[in-house]
Amino acid sequence: MTTSGVADFDLQFDDMIAEAYERCGIEVRDGYDMKTAMRSLNLMFAEWANRGLNLWTIEQGSVPLVYQQASYDLPVDTIDLLDHVVRTGSGVTQQDINITRISSSTYAMIPNKNATGRPIQVWIRRLTGATDSVGATVYPKIVVWPTPDNSIPYTFIYWRLRRIQNAGD
């Protein structure tokens, strides 16, 4: 089965509930109907998660790091990163070096964000991938510290939680 290659389908809860009611041949009449339907959806999602039916998939990716550049976009359908390393070299000479995930407050406390060297820390900005008020896509991002030096090429390798693609046309 082919898919669309796009993972931007984002049905809002109220639309999902209205669709479910329409399929049953009835309509949502008041706020209580919405409240009970929302509770039922949350219980169903919890049951699915307990059964191991996830609404995402895991995928490996990479980002070549650029001299003195700290911030990099991730694919728009990225939910979160599970693991990540900085790779140096290639083939039989490649070496994967652990990189520590830090919080936004820890990144904010770094006094010299322009220091260069082999990146040892990463701040993951889990943005939605939606469009902002001017219509630009807000990509999830990684911010590495220190910014890469130019002594050797670095590649950020990651394993991400990725939204499942839309069904297609």
Side-chain angles (χ1 to χ4, degrees), residues 85-98 118 152-155 157:
V85 295
V86 170
R87 179 170 290 165
T88 60
S90 62
V92 295
T93 64
Q94 90 177 21
Q95 205 175 15
D96 288 348
I97 304 158
N98 191 33
R118 179 183 58 81
I152 56 173
Y154 300 108
T155 304
I157 307 293

Side-chain angles (χ1 to χ4, degrees), residues 97-112:
I97 304 158
N98 191 33
I99 184 168
T100 306
R101 182 174 181 160
I102 60 173
S103 66
S104 57
S105 58
T106 302
Y107 182 76
M109 299 280 196
I110 295 172
N112 182 3

Side-chain angles (χ1 to χ4, degrees), residues 96-159:
D96 288 348
I97 304 158
N98 191 33
I99 184 168
T100 306
R101 182 174 181 160
I102 60 173
S103 66
S104 57
S105 58
T106 302
Y107 182 76
M109 299 280 196
I110 295 172
N112 182 3
K113 293 178 181 61
N114 295 322
T116 60
R118 179 183 58 81
I120 59 170
Q121 296 179 323
V122 62
W123 168 36
I124 300 165
R125 299 189 61 207
R126 292 179 55 200
L127 302 171
T128 64
T131 54
D132 63 12
S133 59
V134 294
T137 301
V138 182
Y139 286 91
K141 297 183 182 308
I142 58 165
V143 180
V144 296
W145 185 86
T147 61
D149 60 21
N150 61 357
S151 62
I152 56 173
Y154 300 108
T155 304
F156 183 80
I157 307 293
Y158 59 87
W159 291 264

Side-chain angles (χ1 to χ4, degrees), residues 4-126:
S4 64
V6 178
D8 63 355
F9 182 73
D10 188 21
L11 193 62
Q12 300 298 312
F13 272 125
D14 54 347
D15 293 330
M16 193 179 308
I17 292 166
E19 177 66 21
Y21 271 82
E22 287 173 12
R23 287 178 179 220
C24 294
I26 53 180
E27 63 182 65
V28 177
R29 283 186 260 141
D30 57 27
Y32 185 73
D33 288 343
M34 277 295 217
K35 182 178 177 181
T36 60
M38 189 82 74
R39 182 178 60 237
S40 295
L41 268 175
N42 285 326
L43 288 169
M44 184 178 68
F45 290 158
E47 180 185 352
W48 287 358
N50 287 333
R51 290 182 182 189
L53 301 171
N54 299 319
L55 301 177
W56 62 84
T57 186
I58 298 174
E59 180 178 86
Q60 183 180 349
S62 65
V63 176
L65 301 181
V66 178
Y67 174 61
Q68 291 187 335
Q69 180 179 331
S71 182
Y72 302 86
D73 289 344
L74 292 172
V76 73
D77 58 353
T78 300
I79 297 170
D80 198 3
L81 298 188
L82 298 173
D83 288 304
H84 28 75
V85 295
V86 170
R87 179 170 290 165
T88 60
S90 62
V92 295
T93 64
Q94 90 177 21
Q95 205 175 15
D96 288 348
I97 304 158
N98 191 33
I99 184 168
T100 306
R101 182 174 181 160
I102 60 173
S103 66
S104 57
S105 58
T106 302
Y107 182 76
M109 299 280 196
I110 295 172
N112 182 3
K113 293 178 181 61
N114 295 322
T116 60
R118 179 183 58 81
I120 59 170
Q121 296 179 323
V122 62
W123 168 36
I124 300 165
R125 299 189 61 207
R126 292 179 55 200

